[in-house]
């Protein structure tokens, strides 16, 4: 299956090196942090991924059918041997629903510290609050970064209404489940719009986007709900004031219909998007980490989003897990026929189709692009 996903972003010689730990989960839903960093990283030069169950493959080839030069190795010793030295960072690339480390995972991260590697942790379990990790890091002179640790409460913001002063088009990429590809689609949409001559900026709402080097974002699921809408609004306003883009793309979290993850509601309220793209996995039968709950239909999710917020769904993007080429084409055709909006698979179809969703929905953007190129 062909892929239109760009290779991992080139990194400068001074970019810190990193190994991603993702034992038993690379390419799976709970390996989404590792998957995302392999696909795109501006902050780290990713050298390898640790997963003994996938060892020997190229990480990009395994994920998307496109080699990226990042090998999957069996263990930390193999990662060190491949690097030829001690890499700067060991990133915890697993993202289980409970956000906690197992005993085996703790042992690997502590081993990384003992070897002199800084730790980047995206889980809900903060390692800077763990006496064993703190003592080990102090002894070795390395740092631990808990990406999901929120700012002090005094620095958090309530929704203020400043979002209504942001004049550019805002697009939220939501979905029908967690770990379904929203961040990847949002990243590719920004790239596709920039290629078409528009200035587009991504606002992240999860830990992986922050790890990738996103300039604007917040780990939304780590905040007290009272401040979630305000945090999204604050980052969107900052993105506009800092970049003055034509389009701001906001990464979604979970799903509006999801019984456990309600952050989509705060994203819709905080960013007040003019349009929404919904990511859907047609072959997925139950929610990823909640197999007791059936997947919603794409039609029901679209109806819920448009009933909940003053916005419209402008397109659907397909996650092709469990589908062959014919199945992808059939799913796209069925969605377009049922909903009357464009559909595409960003990973196997030209990215122009993704950009066209936005340009067709907001034709004035095409005019702005033409003016800017004259």
């Amino acid at each position: 299956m062909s892929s239109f996903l760009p290779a991992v972003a080139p990194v400068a010689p001074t970019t810190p090196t990193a190994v991603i730990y993702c034992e038993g989960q690379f390419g799976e839903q709970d390996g989404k942090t590792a998957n995302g960093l392999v696909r795109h990283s501006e902050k780290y030069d990713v050298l390898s991924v640790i997963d003994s169950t996938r060892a020997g493959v190229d990480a990009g080839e395994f994920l998307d059918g496109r080699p990226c030069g990042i090998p999957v190795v069996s263990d930390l010793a193999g990662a060190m041997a491949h690097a030829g030295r001690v890499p700067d960072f060991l990133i915890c690339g697993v993202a289980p629903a409970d956000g906690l480390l197992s005993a085996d995972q703790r042992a690997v991260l502590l081993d990384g510290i003992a070897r002199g590697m800084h730790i980047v942790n995206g889980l809900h379990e903060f390692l800077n609050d763990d006496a064993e990790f703190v003592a080990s890091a102090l002894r070795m002179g390395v740092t631990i970064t808990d990406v999901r640790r929120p700012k002090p409460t005094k620095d958090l913001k309530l929704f203020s209404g400043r979002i209504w002063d942001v004049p550019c088009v805002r697009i939220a990429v939501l979905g029908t489940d967690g770990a379904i590809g929203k961040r990847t689609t949002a990243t590719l949409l920004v790239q596709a719009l920039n290629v078409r001559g528009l200035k587009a900026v991504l606002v992240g709402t999860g830990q992986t986007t922050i790890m990738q080097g996103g300039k604007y974002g917040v780990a939304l699921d780590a905040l007290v709900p009272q401040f979630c809408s305000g945090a999204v609004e604050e980052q969107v306003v900052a993105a506009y004031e800092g970049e003055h883009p034509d389009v701001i793309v906001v990464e979604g979290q979970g799903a509006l219909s999801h019984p456990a993850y309600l952050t989509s509601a705060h994203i819709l309220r905080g960013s007040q998007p003019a349009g929404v793209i919904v990511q859907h996995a047609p072959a997925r039968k139950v929610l990823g980490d909640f197999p007791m709950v059936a997947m919603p239909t794409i039609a029901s999710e679209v109806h819920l989003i448009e009933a909940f917020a003053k916005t419209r769904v402008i397109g659907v993007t397909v996650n092709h897990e469990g589908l062959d080429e014919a199945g992808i084409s059939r799913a796209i055709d069925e969605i377009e026929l049922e909903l009357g909006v464009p559909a595409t698979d960003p990973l196997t179809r030209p990215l122009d189709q993704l950009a066209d969703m936005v340009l067709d929905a907001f034709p004035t953007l095409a005019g702005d692009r033409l003016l800017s190129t004259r």
Side-chain angles (χ1 to χ4, degrees), residues 37-114:
L37 286 165
V38 165
R39 286 171 168 146
H40 178 78
S41 178
E42 299 173 33
K43 191 171 184 177
Y44 302 104
D45 179 6
V46 177
L47 301 182
S48 61
V49 176
I50 297 172
D51 183 349
S52 64
T53 67
R54 308 280 192 262
V57 304
D58 179 279
E61 177 75 33
F62 180 78
L63 281 180
D64 302 308
R66 180 172 179 170
C68 67
I70 300 173
V72 180
V73 298
S74 294
D75 51 27
L76 190 53
M80 301 272 285
H82 172 262
R85 61 185 178 88
V86 178
D88 300 313
F89 286 87
L90 178 59
I91 300 174
C92 183
V94 294
D98 62 10
L100 302 176
L101 284 174
S102 68
D104 288 343
Q105 291 165 345
R106 285 178 61 89
V108 173
L109 297 185
L110 287 167
D111 185 17
I113 291 175

